[in-house]
RNA sequence: GGCGGCGUAGCUCAGCGGUAGAGCAGGGGAAUCAUAAUCCCUUGGUCGGCGGUUCAAAUCCGUCCGCCGCUACCA
């Protein structure tokens, strides 16, 4: 089975922050999980590089738009590398393949009669080069209206191409009805439905007030409005309009992962564009929440914007990946703080998971000559623990399929806690005297359980769990769910145990 | 204003018709293999207020209070 998962393409008018990192990590976990589960996976990320804001940001930076986007796009690529994101492709909307595909999509919609020449009108602030809604405006005592920025606005009317969104209201509703899982989380789905039921207006899909965009076919005065351009990336990266290529098998996407602020574009406009183009729509769109920092909204003016590179440098990549997905039910908003991260790391990674491995591995090293012990007859307690571990791949699959990443981690932790209880109750250090074969068996049960734990956690913490599997003597080509059915060879030589998650040393003088 | 959601132990949350649960934090004990890490037991809640339906309500309905989201062209 194919599985196609995407991040949004990141808008290059600013540098990467924790929000971008969050989307990328979550999508990466899902992509890695599906690969581990034997699926044929395509994982796409990229950058969204057109539009007035980019044009302006480039001008402010004293660069031409292409040079500017080259630079910022590279920052996002670097972020993905830093975060160990396993995307198969990275698309930029300024690439020829994208421009060609987006142009083809436009032509298709135009030919179908769903794009027509009309006009867009609204309150426009020349100083801000931006349109404003009536609700945003303030009327001064002398009757002039001003934007929130203080800039005076005027009513302008601009010729524009419009997309016949209104014609798709019923088809969208029917699709939502027939596919209850089309949009997640459920609350967001209701918002989308309410929006559609409220009536859809046609959508302006071109602009003539700036130049930095893909030219509208046969009308060079216009460029495509950024959303039509941007959303098309999900198919242009598969080679659209060519539908006979090897990559096209991945369409429709299984999952568009997005931030909650851009959900409407993905859950309403994008399916309508696809319907108009005669293409199947994505199977699911899931919106995740936002992070506050120490309880405060992240903003440039407050100066609390978190740079992913700084986080990784300070805490280590897998600690960050784990924290972001563990701390909060996926889909909810969360709060990031040093204290919370360190607490999660210490109790769950160091004490629960890391220490469990260290406990039985050091016993194997000392009492079994560092060789993986043989299994013996099972007691009820053995079977119970093993069964709980063996159930993990299936239970995680179900949770990953509804993007319940936090619940998936919780499932694993239940087994980890059971593992710590098991080793305490079995007390292999006492069996060493009284019943050495039973001791060997207990240690083997723990090794087998830990192997499953480390395997199912690979998508979340790839580098750390690879090291844990090294410690368990699992060959590099035996790290998949399918491989779990093949037991490790008895007497496999294990390397000397080494802590995977050494505790973070708190800087007691952090203020200086 | 309209539509929707939430309010459960100190904290973060699960439960969504059958007389309250998890993790963390707090208290007591055990063990000593281990990153002084673990395990066992335990304190703690009139499940936002008030009414109603029901043999039975965090769980359904109404209402009030308090938060939050969406309400179109702004990634």
């Amino acid at each position: 089975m194919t599985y196609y998962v995407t991040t949004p393409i990141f808008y290059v008018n600013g540098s990467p922050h924790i929000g971008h990192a969050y989307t990328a990590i979550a999508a990466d976990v899902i992509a890695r999980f599906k690969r581990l589960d034997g699926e044929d996976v395509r994982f796409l990320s990229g950058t969204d590089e057109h539009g007035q804001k980019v044009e302006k940001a480039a001008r402010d930076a004293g660069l031409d738009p292409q040079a500017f986007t080259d630079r910022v796009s590279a920052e996002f690529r670097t972020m993905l590398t830093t975060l160990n994101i396993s995307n198969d492709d990275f698309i930029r909307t300024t690439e020829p393949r994208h421009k060609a595909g987006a142009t083809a999509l436009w032509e298709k919609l135009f030919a179908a009669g769903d794009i027509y020449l009309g006009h867009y009108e609204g309150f426009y602030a020349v100083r801000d080069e931006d349109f404003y809604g009536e609700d945003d405006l303030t009327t001064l005592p002398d009757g002039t209206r001003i934007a929130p920025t203080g800039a005076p606005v005027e009513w302008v009317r601009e010729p524009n191409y419009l997309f016949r969104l209104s014609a798709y209201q019923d088809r969208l509703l029917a699709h939502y009805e027939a596919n209850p899982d089309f949009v997640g989380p459920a609350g967001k789905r209701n918002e989308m439905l309410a929006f559609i039921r409220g009536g859809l207006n046609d959508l302006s899909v071109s602009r003539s007030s700036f130049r930095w965009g893909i030219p509208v076919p046969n009308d060079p005065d216009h460029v495509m409005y950024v959303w039509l351009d941007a959303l098309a990336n999900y198919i242009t990266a598969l080679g659209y309009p060519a539908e006979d290529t090897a990559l096209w098998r991945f369409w429709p996407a299984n999952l568009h992962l997005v931030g909650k602020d851009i959900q409407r574009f993905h859950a309403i406009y994008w399916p309508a564009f696809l319907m108009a183009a005669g293409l199947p729509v994505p199977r699911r769109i899931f919106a995740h929440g936002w992070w506050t920092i120490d309880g405060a909204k992240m903003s440039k003016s407050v100066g609390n914007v978190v740079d992913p590179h700084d986080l990784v440098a300070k805490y280590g990549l897998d600690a960050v990946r784990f924290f972001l997905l563990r701390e909060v039910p996926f889909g909810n908003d969360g709060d990031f703080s040093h204290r919370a991260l360190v607490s999660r790391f210490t109790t769950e990674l160091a004490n629960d998971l890391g220490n469990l491995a260290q406990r039985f591995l050091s016993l194997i090293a000392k009492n079994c000559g560092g060789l993986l012990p043989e299994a013996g007859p099972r007691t009820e307690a053995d079977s119970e623990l093993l069964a709980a571990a063996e159930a993990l791949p299936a239970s995680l699959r179900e949770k990953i399929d509804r993007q319940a990443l936090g619940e998936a981690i919780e499932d694993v932790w239940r087994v980890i806690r059971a593992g710590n209880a098991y080793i305490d109750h079995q007390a292999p250090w006492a069996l060493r005297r009284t019943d050495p074969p039973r001791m060997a068996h207990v240690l083997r049960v723990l090794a087998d359980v830990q192997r499953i734990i480390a395997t199912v956690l690979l998508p979340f913490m790839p580098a750390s769990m690879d090291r844990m599997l090294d410690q368990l003597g699992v060959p590099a080509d035996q790290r998949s769910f399918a491989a779990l059915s093949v037991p490790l060879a008895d007497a496999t030589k294990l390397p000397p145990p080494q802590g995977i998650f050494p505790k973070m040393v708190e800087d007691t003088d952090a203020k200086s």
Side-chain angles (χ1 to χ4, degrees):
Chain A
M1 290 270 282
T2 57
Y3 193 91
Y4 182 30
V5 54
T6 67
T7 72
I9 46 175
F10 304 114
Y11 199 56
V12 295
N13 68 338
S15 294
H17 57 64
I18 192 172
H20 302 109
Y22 186 46
T23 318
I25 290 168
D28 184 57
V29 168
I30 293 165
R32 286 177 183 272
F33 186 93
K34 289 294 172 184
R35 288 193 199 101
L36 215 56
D37 205 14
E39 306 278 9
D40 180 16
V41 172
R42 189 75 181 173
F43 173 19
L44 176 71
S45 190
T47 42
D48 179 9
E49 308 188 9
H50 289 131
Q52 189 166 24
K53 287 193 174 178
V54 172
E55 192 177 74
K56 186 173 187 316
R59 200 161 50 236
D60 292 348
L63 294 170
D64 74 68
Q66 188 64 56
F68 177 78
T69 60
D70 285 350
R71 192 180 76 192
V72 183
S73 179
E75 283 184 43
F76 280 94
R77 259 184 211 270
T78 301
M79 176 192 79
L80 296 183
T81 304
T82 301
L83 298 174
N84 199 5
I85 303 301
S86 65
N87 53 303
D88 300 294
D89 193 2
F90 185 95
I91 191 161
R92 303 180 53 186
T93 56
T94 50
E95 287 178 70
R97 61 169 172 161
H98 175 76
K99 292 182 190 170
T103 302
L105 180 62
W106 177 287
E107 284 167 345
K108 182 92 178 173
L109 301 188
F110 189 83
D114 281 323
I115 288 180
Y116 61 93
L117 187 59
H119 61 266
Y120 177 74
E121 52 191 354
F123 289 102
Y124 184 76
V126 178
R127 201 170 87 194
D128 300 338
E129 299 180 26
D130 212 351
F131 283 91
Y132 291 95
E134 192 159 7
D135 297 343
D136 297 330
L137 303 178
T138 312
T139 305
L140 297 180
D142 66 3
T144 57
R145 295 178 191 255
I146 57 166
T149 56
V153 299
E154 55 185 306
W155 185 257
V156 302
R157 186 179 159 108
E158 177 182 308
N160 261 187
Y161 287 91
L162 300 183
F163 172 74
R164 222 176 283 283
L165 183 64
S166 55
Y168 288 88
Q169 179 166 348
D170 293 342
R171 282 184 66 182
L172 284 167
L173 282 174
H175 186 78
Y176 270 74
E177 208 140 302
N179 300 277
D181 296 328
F182 182 52
V183 171
K188 295 292 168 189
R189 175 177 187 270
N190 290 337
E191 290 178 4
M192 294 300 105
L193 270 171
F195 186 89
I196 298 169
R197 290 201 179 106
L200 297 176
N201 300 328
D202 288 352
L203 187 69
S204 164
V205 288
S206 80
R207 289 289 143 87
S208 54
S209 55
F210 61 91
R211 305 305 318 147
W212 183 237
I214 300 175
V216 165
N218 303 314
D219 193 342
D221 288 345
H222 293 257
V223 293
M224 292 185 200
Y225 172 56
V226 65
W227 276 107
L228 179 57
D229 169 359
L231 287 163
N233 91 88
Y234 300 124
I235 55 175
T236 62
L238 297 180
Y240 185 84
E243 298 184 22
D244 55 357
T245 61
L247 282 179
W248 192 252
R249 72 181 187 282
F250 288 106
W251 194 255
N254 296 74
L255 177 65
H256 289 318
L257 205 59
V258 299
K260 62 181 183 180
D261 55 333
I262 56 174
Q263 187 188 39
R264 195 176 67 231
F265 304 97
H266 285 79
I268 296 175
Y269 303 163
W270 178 226
F273 294 158
L274 288 164
M275 286 172 177
L279 293 172
V281 304
R283 300 201 190 286
R284 184 161 160 91
I285 292 133
F286 189 90
H288 67 246
W290 285 143
W291 288 92
T292 51
I293 309 299
D294 292 323
K297 197 170 171 181
M298 189 168 61
S299 83
K300 281 181 195 164
S301 51
V302 177
N304 63 347
V305 175
V306 175
D307 180 334
H309 297 95
D310 294 345
L311 276 187
V312 171
K314 184 167 182 183
Y315 299 111
L317 173 59
D318 284 350
V320 172
R321 289 176 62 113
F322 177 77
F323 177 80
L324 292 178
L325 299 181
R326 170 54 159 167
E327 180 69 1
V328 149
F330 197 60
N332 290 12
D333 290 344
D335 182 55
F336 180 91
S337 70
H338 171 80
R339 188 191 191 83
L341 188 148
V342 171
S343 166
R344 283 288 181 193
F345 183 89
T346 304
T347 62
E348 302 193 324
L349 293 181
N351 296 352
D352 291 344
L353 175 59
N355 189 49
L356 174 59
Q358 194 70 359
R359 295 178 82 178
F360 73 83
L361 286 171
S362 69
L363 286 167
I364 291 175
K366 282 187 209 161
N367 303 307
C368 306
L371 302 178
L372 186 68
E374 260 179 66
R378 286 187 189 179
T379 65
E380 199 173 317
D382 304 340
S383 299
E384 202 176 311
L385 180 63
L386 284 163
E390 284 159 5
L392 285 177
S395 71
L396 262 68
R397 183 180 301 125
E398 183 271 325
K399 294 183 168 67
I400 295 289
D401 281 341
R402 50 185 176 83
Q403 293 77 48
L405 303 179
E407 288 180 45
I409 292 176
E410 176 57 27
D411 273 4
V412 183
W413 250 258
R414 266 196 285 274
V415 176
I416 293 169
R417 289 186 210 109
N420 271 314
Y422 173 85
I423 192 171
D424 264 59
H425 297 152
Q426 302 304 318
W429 48 91
L431 292 168
R432 182 167 65 99
R433 290 247 165 77
T434 58
D435 189 350
R438 173 67 191 163
M439 174 203 72
H441 169 78
V442 165
L443 296 178
R444 177 56 186 259
V445 168
L446 285 161
D448 288 343
V449 167
Q450 190 83 8
R451 178 193 180 192
I452 297 170
I453 290 168
T455 301
V456 300
L457 288 178
L458 266 170
F460 297 87
M461 301 179 283
S464 307
M465 290 305 99
D466 265 328
R467 285 197 290 133
M468 187 166 281
L469 290 165
D470 290 344
Q471 301 258 305
L472 294 166
V474 180
D477 61 354
Q478 296 297 302
R479 298 176 183 182
S480 69
F481 295 157
L484 287 175
S485 60
V486 181
L488 292 173
D490 294 340
T492 297
K493 176 74 182 156
L494 303 186
Q498 255 189 324
I500 304 292
F501 298 109
K503 277 187 193 162
M504 293 176 183
V505 180
E506 273 299 328
D507 184 357
T508 51
D509 197 21
K511 294 235 168 76
S512 66

